[in-house]
Amino acid sequence: MLTERAPSLSVAVAQPLVTAGDLRGAVLAHADAVRTSGARLVVFPEMSLTGYDLDAPAVDLADGTLAPLVAACHATGAVALVGAPVRDDERESIATLRFDADGVRVVYRKVWLHGTESRRFAPGPGPTTTDVDGWRVGLAICRDTGQARHTAAVARLGVDLVAAGVVDRPEDLEELRARAFVIARAAGAPVAVASFAGPTGGGFDETAGCSSVHDARGDLLAEATPAPGDLATATLT
């Protein structure tokens, strides 16, 4: 059964400070961002719960350590799209997790793996959406955003918003903004990009931050600073 689309949707893009190996600290930082943002939908970067550490243990969705983030979503009525490595049977993926008042589940697995990611992780089955108040939210993770075939497939899903979590270097910021513009124009929908801020693994001693929300024309609506802990919000209509 389809949900009638709400006339507006408040969206935040958050870039919490994450320390490798400290899952509890990362969960609390995510929960704080959810509470601070006041947004209905909060988008986080690629592998935001662990940092971009390709050796980080897969996150167990049944782990009680995740409870504070579920609680924050329950208390605020928010939906959080969070990045993490996950394991399903014999397959490991770089995934987007959906946290809401009902708990946590995997809603997307990265399709276009980059570099050494493929040594451990398997590509996901393809583009998909998740529903927030009747808004069809198309999903992407980092390299997915630069693949024309992926963007075209997301657009064919009839999305109302595209949400992506990424990890990029500061010198790639203009490319990141250009990708958001291209996706918005191709999908005819706003784009929310949560970009990792602060040092992390995988050779990313510095990351871009500057998470952003763009309208369906690709124009910038809101942008965070490069600093870890910052976020930006916009209301889409």
Side-chain angles (χ1 to χ4, degrees), residues 9-176:
L9 180 69
S10 56
V11 179
V13 283
Q15 45 195 51
L17 178 62
V18 175
T19 302
D22 184 8
L23 179 61
R24 176 172 173 76
V27 168
L28 294 176
H30 282 63
D32 181 65
V34 166
R35 294 178 185 275
T36 300
S37 73
R40 171 65 170 139
L41 176 64
V42 188
V43 184
F44 290 90
E46 179 181 24
M47 295 182 73
S48 60
L49 280 181
T50 59
Y52 188 74
D53 176 4
L54 298 183
D55 295 320
V59 173
D60 180 0
L61 274 58
D63 188 342
T65 304
L66 305 181
L69 183 48
V70 175
C73 291
H74 185 273
T76 60
V79 172
L81 298 178
V82 176
V86 298
R87 184 177 182 84
D88 180 14
D89 297 325
E90 298 302 313
R91 175 181 61 177
E92 288 191 304
S93 307
I94 296 174
T96 299
L97 309 181
R98 175 176 171 140
F99 284 76
D100 56 31
D102 295 325
V104 55
R105 64 186 185 275
V106 176
V107 290
Y108 177 69
R109 293 175 172 85
K110 185 176 183 179
V111 176
W112 292 88
L113 300 175
H114 176 68
T116 58
E117 292 173 354
S118 59
R119 295 178 184 174
R120 173 183 175 187
F121 300 107
T128 189
T129 65
T130 191
D131 183 275
V132 182
D133 298 340
W135 288 64
R136 291 172 59 85
V137 182
L139 303 170
I141 299 175
C142 210
R143 193 179 180 215
D144 295 336
T145 64
Q147 304 301 315
R149 281 180 287 175
H150 187 93
T151 297
V154 170
R156 287 195 295 270
L157 296 175
V159 295
D160 303 302
L161 168 67
V162 178
V166 306
V167 178
D168 278 299
R169 293 181 174 86
E171 57 266 31
D172 296 325
L173 183 56
E174 288 308 312
E175 171 67 16
L176 184 61

